[in-house]
Amino acid sequence: MTASLPPEVRRLVVATLVNTFGNGVYAAVGALYLTRAAGLSVHEVGLGLTVAGLVGLIASTPLGVVADRLGPNRAYVGFLLLQAVTMTALTQVRSFALFVAVVGVTAIADSGQRGAKGALIAGLVPSDQRVRTRALLRVTTNIGMGVGMALAGIVLAVDQREVYVIALLANAATYLVTAGLVQWGMARVAPVPSAAGPSGMTALKDRPFLAFVALDGLLSMHNAMAQVAIPLWVATATDAPAWLISVLLVVNAASVILLQLRVARGTEHLAGAARAGRRAGLLLALACVVLAVTDVTSGAVTIALLVAAALVHVLGEMLQSAGGWGISFELAPPGGQGQYQGAYSMGTQLGDLIAPAVLTVVAVSWGWPGWLLTATIFLVAGSFIPVAVRRHQQWQSQVPVPA
């Protein structure tokens, strides 16, 4: 598949595959390492990750400005190296205070690399190929994460501190390799001098864009819906067998790998991306309605409905991703891709931060009324995305363009 791609995109694909392989290993073993090997309580881990999420959210846009000013190549490499350092430091965590400090710096590095990577794509790839590149990298991410999580099963089976530490150091090594792939052999995207681009905090003054970010963040709650809410719902509120949870997760991952590129077609233009956001909200709402019905069904009917809900959900998920990429690239002013990509990532970070609590309390605990309320949230959020895009175009026409 990579043979027909431009060299820069091929290198990004390889870098992403290496990076997400390590991320997949850590995603599978991180929580157990922290609770079993580092000696932290579940409450401490949850609180620390919440603090880190808030830090990353606040830092996203300023760090995007850093990517614009330094150049996305240099910034991306720098943040990857910082992640290698913090992942290594995590192997020395023995206290809650040190854990919070390490994951706080990790969140800063992660937020920084998101904006820098988005700006790098915008600088290296023609505008009509940016969304396709993002879609390809998402497919690559799913493959890398899947392989990493599968191999992490060996670590979990051994369940020894020394093996957990080796897994964390292996993840740290993947950050170094990824940084090397970006640093050497990849074309440079020039930095944007402060006089040539938008002011440092333009994205945070761009109210229509921030409205889009918030709406997109609500839609991005689909991540926790697939990974947390639906598994809990299957296990606690339906008579479906527990093995169905794995089936639904495989359906999600396989669908993204097979269909994300196709679903992303047409979202490289603003009108198509806005329509994708609206359709994503509709499909995610429909998935919630189908899940609500499983509150009163049983047997094969429940299984069939859960599989149908998973398929509708993943189609909405793919449309949300593609629409968000298209809008975030197209609405960024010249010289502001870094900060706008950083601001765009705030939506996903916000969704990841609030979704577990919202979905478990509302959807899972309240039963079918909770799923219908969640459906309303998705439907309204998707419906207003085209409105935010139109208002942004009016707002942007009033902003002076640097000479």
Side-chain angles (χ1 to χ4, degrees), residues 338-395:
Q339 68 163 293
Y340 269 70
Q341 291 300 312
Y344 165 60
S345 72
M346 288 168 51
T348 301
Q349 291 171 308
L350 179 63
D352 290 344
L353 195 63
I354 67 173
V358 171
L359 292 175
T360 54
V361 171
V362 176
V364 178
S365 298
W366 293 3
W368 67 264
W371 281 115
L372 294 182
L373 178 56
T374 305
T376 303
I377 294 172
F378 283 135
L379 186 62
V380 171
S383 298
F384 275 95
I385 282 181
V387 177
V389 169
R390 288 195 299 270
R391 291 191 175 178
H392 178 273
Q393 292 172 306
Q394 298 170 357
W395 178 89

Side-chain angles (χ1 to χ4, degrees), residues 20 33 39 44 62 138 200 231 249 274 280 316 358 365 387:
T20 55
Y33 164 76
E44 287 175 328
R138 184 163 190 243
L249 291 172
V358 171
S365 298
V387 177

Side-chain angles (χ1 to χ4, degrees), residues 62-392:
L63 293 176
V65 178
V66 171
D68 287 330
R69 300 296 178 260
L70 291 181
N73 301 73
R74 186 184 300 175
Y76 190 26
V77 169
F79 289 125
L80 287 168
L81 294 176
L82 182 56
Q83 286 180 296
V85 171
T86 58
M87 185 55 57
T88 302
L90 202 59
T91 65
Q92 303 304 309
V93 165
R94 299 290 189 281
S95 67
F96 176 65
L98 182 57
F99 170 62
V100 171
V102 171
V103 295
V105 178
T106 300
I108 290 172
D110 183 60
S111 292
Q113 67 87 17
R114 291 190 197 200
K117 187 174 185 179
L120 185 61
I121 293 169
L124 291 175
V125 181
S127 59
D128 62 346
Q129 292 297 310
R130 290 170 182 168
V131 172
R132 184 178 184 276
T133 300
R134 277 284 203 184
L136 179 59
L137 294 181
R138 184 163 190 243
V139 171
T140 305
T141 295
N142 271 37
I143 295 172
M145 291 285 291
V147 174
M149 287 189 286
L151 290 180
I154 300 172
V155 179
L156 298 175
V158 176
D159 196 23
Q160 296 291 327
R161 173 181 168 78
E162 293 78 10
V163 182
Y164 284 121
V165 169
I166 291 172
L168 266 62
L169 293 176
N171 187 26
T174 65
Y175 286 117
L176 296 177
V177 174
T178 304
L181 289 168
V182 175
Q183 176 66 23
W184 292 291
M186 185 172 287
R188 293 281 187 260
V189 177
V192 180
S194 57
S199 64
M201 291 293 112
T202 295
L204 296 183
K205 301 172 185 175
D206 186 340
R207 293 182 181 178
F209 184 78
L210 291 181
F212 153 69
V213 168
L215 295 168
D216 189 69
L218 290 175
L219 292 183
S220 75
M221 291 196 302
H222 62 66
N223 292 318
M225 183 175 163
Q227 297 169 13
V228 179
I230 293 179
L232 286 176
W233 179 254
V234 171
T236 63
T238 75
D239 63 348
W243 53 258
L244 187 63
I245 295 172
S246 294
V247 172
L248 299 180
L249 291 172
V250 169
V251 165
N252 183 282
S255 297
V256 171
I257 292 171
L258 295 173
L259 299 174
Q260 180 68 79
L261 280 165
R262 181 175 298 179
V263 171
R265 290 174 185 168
T267 59
E268 62 273 7
H269 304 297
L270 202 51
R275 285 195 300 271
R278 185 178 62 237
R279 291 169 182 168
L282 177 61
L283 288 168
L284 291 170
L286 179 58
C288 291
V289 171
V290 175
L291 289 167
V293 174
T294 63
D295 199 21
V296 295
T297 59
S298 61
V301 173
T302 298
I303 293 175
L305 288 173
L306 288 170
V307 172
L311 289 170
V312 174
H313 168 277
V314 74
L315 181 56
E317 172 185 331
M318 290 185 287
L319 281 168
Q320 179 270 330
S321 296
W325 298 326
I327 293 170
S328 65
F329 281 131
E330 288 297 303
L331 295 191
Q337 283 289 353
Q339 68 163 293
Y340 269 70
Q341 291 300 312
Y344 165 60
S345 72
M346 288 168 51
T348 301
Q349 291 171 308
L350 179 63
D352 290 344
L353 195 63
I354 67 173
V358 171
L359 292 175
T360 54
V361 171
V362 176
V364 178
S365 298
W366 293 3
W368 67 264
W371 281 115
L372 294 182
L373 178 56
T374 305
T376 303
I377 294 172
F378 283 135
L379 186 62
V380 171
S383 298
F384 275 95
I385 282 181
V387 177
V389 169
R390 288 195 299 270
R391 291 191 175 178
H392 178 273

